[in-house]
Amino acid sequence: MTGEKKHPESTVDAASPWVVDVARELLRRPGQMKPLRRDVAAPEGFGLEMIGVPVGEPIHLDLRLESVMEGVLASGTVQTDVVGECSRCLESFTDHVDVDLTELYAYPDSVTDDTADEDEVSRIVDERIDLEPAVRDAVLLELPVTPLCREDCPGVESSDPEAWAFVPAGEARETIDPRWAALQEKYGGAGRSTEN
């Protein structure tokens, strides 16, 4: 790879609230530390299909930016509220997410090039770090793929008294395939049909 740049040229939007300038206080000054506390409005796409952070919802960053030999280490907590749709009853609900974040932003052409894959390491670009991708990943990993409004959610209400949602605790009700009903009646078994 002689003569080639290992990393494609990239830029960061200096005006973005997610971007932090590290040139003056942290760049190549191992041991230096800077606290970062701010609320950033959530952009679009900060969630999964059934749960996520609403656009504009504040995401609270309480981070410590620390200069290390390989770059700048961001660590701390991220907090925000999320809105979801219960996967059982389909009702809307809100929840609070509190996640830990630890992300190394490496200097261009640092030793991390030899020890990690290109897409595994965040980079310092134009003496700035962009926190959004790391925060987004941390929040998305915390969100459930099948969210519930509560752990014991009974599911969708139904006027049918035989609906699964209204089966009393400890009682099993099973509808037997009519093709097997004759065998069930003859030999019995644990899964008796409740149909008359």
Side-chain angles (χ1 to χ4, degrees):
M1 262 177 91
T2 310
E4 288 182 29
K5 286 190 175 185
K6 186 161 185 175
H7 309 288
E9 289 298 319
S10 58
T11 59
V12 293
D13 179 7
S16 169
W18 295 99
V19 174
V20 180
D21 187 337
V22 294
R24 187 180 311 142
E25 298 171 13
L26 298 172
L27 218 54
R28 306 213 185 264
R29 294 181 179 185
Q32 291 292 97
M33 192 274 293
K34 172 184 176 180
L36 175 73
R37 290 181 185 89
R38 68 171 64 157
D39 288 335
V40 183
E44 284 192 35
F46 231 83
L48 304 175
E49 186 176 338
M50 296 182 73
I51 189 169
V53 184
V55 174
E57 180 73 27
I59 298 175
H60 180 69
L61 308 178
D62 188 358
L63 303 176
R64 170 182 166 143
L65 305 179
E66 189 174 1
S67 180
V68 295
M69 293 299 290
E70 291 299 311
V72 173
L73 181 68
S75 59
T77 59
V78 176
Q79 300 175 2
T80 190
D81 290 328
V82 295
V83 173
E85 181 181 326
C86 180
S87 60
R88 286 188 191 156
C89 69
L90 306 179
E91 292 294 324
S92 181
F93 70 95
T94 59
D95 200 359
H96 184 75
V97 173
D98 190 346
V99 295
D100 292 326
L101 174 74
T102 303
E103 186 76 10
L104 173 64
Y105 293 85
Y107 294 124
D109 303 317
S110 67
V111 174
T112 56
D113 289 344
D114 300 329
T115 59
D117 291 336
E118 174 68 23
D119 59 349
E120 290 180 349
V121 180
S122 298
R123 299 278 167 196
I124 297 173
V125 178
D126 297 332
E127 301 180 335
R128 295 179 177 92
I129 62 174
D130 184 0
L131 297 168
E132 182 181 355
V135 171
R136 182 187 302 269
D137 289 350
V139 170
L140 292 183
L141 287 173
E142 190 68 17
L143 299 178
V145 176
T146 53
L148 297 175
C149 59
R150 63 182 203 264
E151 287 299 318
D152 63 343
C153 176
V156 178
E157 286 191 31
S158 172
S159 58
D160 178 5
E162 299 296 320
W164 289 105
F166 297 98
V167 174
E171 183 179 326
R173 294 194 184 173
E174 184 179 350
T175 301
I176 303 298
D177 184 323
R179 295 171 293 183
W180 296 100
L183 289 174
Q184 181 69 28
E185 287 176 17
K186 183 173 182 177
Y187 296 109
R192 295 188 183 269
S193 173
T194 58
E195 295 181 356
N196 293 330

